Amino acid sequence: MRDAVIGVDLGGTKIYTALALPAGELLAEVVAPTGADGGLEQVLAKIVATVRDVTSQAGPDLTVRALGIGAPGPLDAETGLVYFAPNLGWHNVPLKDLLQKALGLPVGVDNDANLAALGEQVFGAGRGVRSMVYITVSTGVGGGLILDGRIYHGAGGGAGEIGHTTIDPGGPVCGCGNRGCLEVLASGTAMARRAREIIAAGGGLNMLGATGGLPGKVTAKTVADAAAAGDPEALAILAEAGRALGIGVANVINLLNPELVVLGGGAMKAGPPLWQAMEEEVRRRALQASLARARLVPAQLGSRAGVLGAVALAARALDNGTLL
């Protein structure tokens, strides 16, 4: 018999569940809508259903030994208590206990960005690295810290929130209530907002034309496509976002002196102008001694980073007998 584990990447819109060998080989995968509007019980039922679906594909020579799950929002990784998950409408949900009772398996829980970081460290761009920072730039900006080979959670499980570091004290209001957070300046949402502001001021005709004349349909992809076609206003938006991101990355390099900074998320696919502006700002602001030791690389695992991080969390339990 061979050991197998299950990884679950729980998001606000979808549940991605995979059966895997501890070394990271995915054997079965299933994606299902989260159905958060149906409440906690419905979401739990869907998680359990996806787990049973992939387990049914295990085969007679495999024994599922543990499950790891990444959940959005701040949580206690030791107890598995999710303090707050706004996209799910959850407050103080004992996710670990609920799933262990429903499935009869040891369950490990961590923040989704932390597990994406772990996935990249174990199976992706950070293999062999013991000190790295993972930053995801998509609808928002999130992060995970791997220090001395382990996820760093901080005193209350909230470490790694690079998206809510202040880049411009007088900048736009962020969803967290602060002003000028990295998230409100460099995320895909921020790029789209900036494009709509330009259109409202009478510019951005190429970006507007790509949406059929509907400003509300402008997205980060709209901006990226226009930039790829040489549109100067779109290029300026990417450069602006890249500079903000570079300030955030430089701050992290100066604070933590990591070996590696891994950047992923859909908005990082916006093209070279974003990456180049980010790198230039990092070179301008990071301390040279720390910058000389840090590499900036794109993420390798794409949409599988979170689920593979959950697999790594469960697999580590097989090695050391704990899911903490």
Side-chain angles (χ1 to χ4, degrees), residues 11-89:
T13 58
K14 70 176 187 288
I15 300 165
Y16 178 11
T17 301
L19 172 74
L21 297 179
E25 179 184 348
L26 298 183
L27 305 175
E29 303 167 75
V30 62
V31 177
T34 304
D37 291 344
L40 173 60
E41 288 188 6
Q42 180 170 305
V43 174
L44 288 173
K46 288 199 171 188
I47 295 170
V48 170
T50 63
V51 170
R52 288 177 175 158
D53 188 346
V54 295
T55 301
S56 70
Q57 303 176 53
D61 65 327
L62 292 176
T63 300
V64 176
R65 295 284 306 279
L67 180 145
I69 182 168
L75 52 80
D76 185 323
E78 182 172 342
T79 66
L81 178 68
V82 179
Y83 298 128
F84 178 47
N87 292 335
L88 298 174

Side-chain angles (χ1 to χ4, degrees), residues 150-165:
R150 297 174 62 86
I151 296 172
Y152 179 72
H153 294 101
E161 289 287 355
I162 186 174
H164 297 292
T165 55

Side-chain angles (χ1 to χ4, degrees), residues 154-285:
E161 289 287 355
I162 186 174
H164 297 292
T165 55
T166 301
I167 304 301
D168 178 5
V173 177
C174 180
C176 73
N178 196 2
R179 279 191 175 273
C181 290
L182 179 58
E183 179 166 294
V184 80
L185 295 171
S187 65
T189 304
M191 296 177 206
R193 186 200 71 245
R194 184 68 184 119
R196 288 192 290 269
E197 290 172 351
I198 291 171
I199 290 168
L205 296 182
N206 289 339
M207 291 182 285
L208 182 60
T211 68
L214 300 172
K217 291 190 175 294
V218 171
T219 65
K221 187 177 186 305
T222 308
V223 177
D225 289 346
D231 179 77
E233 290 168 312
L235 286 166
I237 291 171
L238 294 188
E240 186 178 278
R243 285 192 294 272
L245 182 58
I247 294 172
V249 171
N251 287 340
V252 166
I253 290 173
N254 290 345
L255 180 66
L256 297 177
N257 189 205
E259 300 171 65
L260 192 69
V261 178
V262 178
L263 294 113
M268 290 307 300
K269 299 176 184 177
L274 177 70
W275 190 279
Q276 289 167 2
M278 181 265 296
E279 282 193 318
E280 288 173 6
E281 202 66 31
V282 170
R283 286 195 295 270
R284 185 176 295 117
R285 294 178 182 272

